[in-house]
Amino acid sequence: MIQETTTIAPAPISKTNSPVIEIKELYKSFGKNEVLKGVTFSVNKGENLVVLGKSGSGKSITIKCLVGLVVADEGEINVFGTDITKIDIAELNEIRVRIGFLFQNAALYDSMSVRENLGFTLKRHAKDLSAEELENQIKDVLESVGLAEAIDKMPSELSGGMRKRIGLARTLILKPEIILYDEPTTGLDTITSREISELLLEIQKKHKTSSIIITHDMACAKHTADRLVILKDGVIHTEGTYEELEKSDDEWVRSFFI
Ligand SMILES: Nc1ncnc2c1ncn2[C@@H]1O[C@H](COP(=O)(O)OP(=O)(O)O)[C@@H](O)[C@H]1O
Ligand SMILES: [Mg+2]
């Protein structure tokens, strides 16, 4: 996991037009496979930006570049005003700790209870916490994801939706200012997906986070997006609100909304 840590001043409240992420002309190829060919977009403070695109269009690669898990070939990636392509690993780590990443198939440790899973993550990043403080933070974050009662459960006792919530709790416990969600509702049934989408909105409100949400789930997109971008052929093909894109003149864009 890429994220972390402890005492960060709360971000200002409202959605403003000051970007926390600005990606400019991003290029990434794997051999002859030119995946990103000049991707440009930004995420404003407090905003949920949904990224749509067909499978293999480079959505996951884009957010991996954003946290330095994948090194871009060319382009600028400004996070909190710093171009992370131009800094050393120590500086990169300082920025990374402010970013939470919910991976597509984020797994919990099967042999640990929910409390231990969350405690393990927190202790790695906040070594000086007292046992009491640790317990309080675990309880708080479980409240946030609506699973206070699951603290003593083992992962095998949890449903898919509950595991997803605990995965999210593990991301949240490090108090990220930005959260990157890669397909947060994939593999969940319609009702559970809806609950997770609702939770994403609650997190945005309660924790004042800014987010990129990659999804195929149009119900999730509709529910959570302040704005959407669509990746096609290595560039951002379209950008707008759900209502705007749903009524697009471009048939290909509309095809996402059927
Ligand atoms: N580590 C890698 N090595 C080679 N090719 C990769 C690697 N990671 C991703 N790709 C390729 O990059 C393209 C975009 O992948 P990805 O960003 O995962 O797509 P998606 O939009 O489905 O998330 C795909 O063609 C994939 O095969
Ligand atoms: Mg992907």
Side-chain angles (χ1 to χ4, degrees):
M1 264 222 334
I2 293 297
Q3 55 112 297
E4 15 262 270
T5 183
T6 46
T7 46
I8 292 156
I13 294 158
S14 63
K15 291 167 203 170
T16 68
N17 286 326
S18 65
V20 288
I21 298 171
E22 265 185 303
I23 294 181
K24 291 184 189 163
E25 290 294 312
L26 194 67
Y27 285 78
K28 179 67 190 177
S29 296
F30 294 98
K32 291 205 171 75
N33 183 9
E34 298 178 332
V35 180
L36 307 181
K37 297 190 279 190
V39 167
T40 299
F41 69 88
S42 60
V43 181
N44 296 321
K45 192 170 241 165
E47 182 178 45
N48 278 344
L49 180 79
V50 163
V51 179
L52 301 174
K54 300 274 184 247
S55 189
S57 58
K59 304 181 297 296
S60 295
I61 288 300
T62 302
I63 60 171
K64 285 178 183 167
C65 288
L66 195 51
V67 285
L69 274 180
V70 166
V71 178
D73 298 331
E74 247 183 84
E76 265 182 49
I77 306 174
N78 294 300
V79 184
F80 307 120
T82 299
D83 185 352
I84 62 148
T85 67
K86 298 206 166 52
I87 57 180
D88 64 25
I89 188 76
E91 289 172 290
L92 179 60
N93 282 336
E94 279 176 28
I95 291 184
R96 273 176 167 172
V97 300
R98 301 166 68 186
I99 305 177
F101 199 141
L102 190 69
F103 287 100
Q104 199 163 346
N105 295 308
L108 303 170
Y109 294 103
D110 285 337
S111 60
M112 293 185 195
S113 70
V114 166
R115 177 192 277 106
E116 289 164 340
N117 263 284
L118 296 174
F120 181 77
T121 299
L122 186 53
K123 273 189 281 190
R124 273 197 353 234
H125 298 281
K127 298 193 171 58
D128 302 334
L129 281 186
S130 68
E132 189 189 359
E133 186 55 25
L134 198 67
E135 180 77 2
N136 286 342
Q137 291 202 26
I138 292 169
K139 285 185 171 157
D140 279 354
V141 83
L142 284 172
E143 278 301 302
S144 280
V145 300
L147 274 184
E149 78 283 4
I151 190 160
D152 290 313
K153 294 219 180 323
M154 299 301 287
S156 60
E157 299 177 272
L158 304 175
S159 66
M162 288 163 92
R163 276 202 290 273
K164 189 65 88 176
R165 282 172 190 266
I166 302 300
L168 195 43
R170 191 172 55 179
T171 301
L172 275 181
I173 204 166
L174 302 176
K175 301 184 172 58
E177 293 159 78
I178 293 173
I179 306 181
L180 309 175
Y181 298 98
D182 200 349
E183 314 248 4
T185 63
T186 296
L188 302 175
D189 62 67
T190 312
I191 292 170
T192 310
S193 294
R194 171 87 195 182
E195 289 169 1
I196 296 294
S197 300
E198 186 56 40
L199 182 57
L200 263 48
L201 270 188
E202 285 170 20
I203 288 169
Q204 177 193 24
K205 289 201 192 86
K206 181 173 171 192
H207 299 270
K208 318 295 179 209
T209 45
S210 316
S211 296
I212 294 180
I213 302 166
I214 293 176
T215 189
H216 285 119
D217 172 358
M218 294 309 289
C220 174
K222 184 172 191 179
H223 204 65
T224 60
D226 294 304
R227 197 159 55 88
L228 300 90
V229 294
I230 312 184
L231 252 180
K232 186 189 187 192
D233 300 330
V235 297
I236 297 299
H237 176 276
T238 315
E239 186 248 300
T241 64
Y242 190 96
E243 290 69 27
E244 285 163 0
L245 299 196
E246 194 178 28
K247 288 187 293 219
S248 168
D249 295 335
D250 183 332
E251 195 179 338
W252 182 85
V253 170
R254 281 202 315 275
S255 73
F256 280 85
F257 294 79
I258 297 165

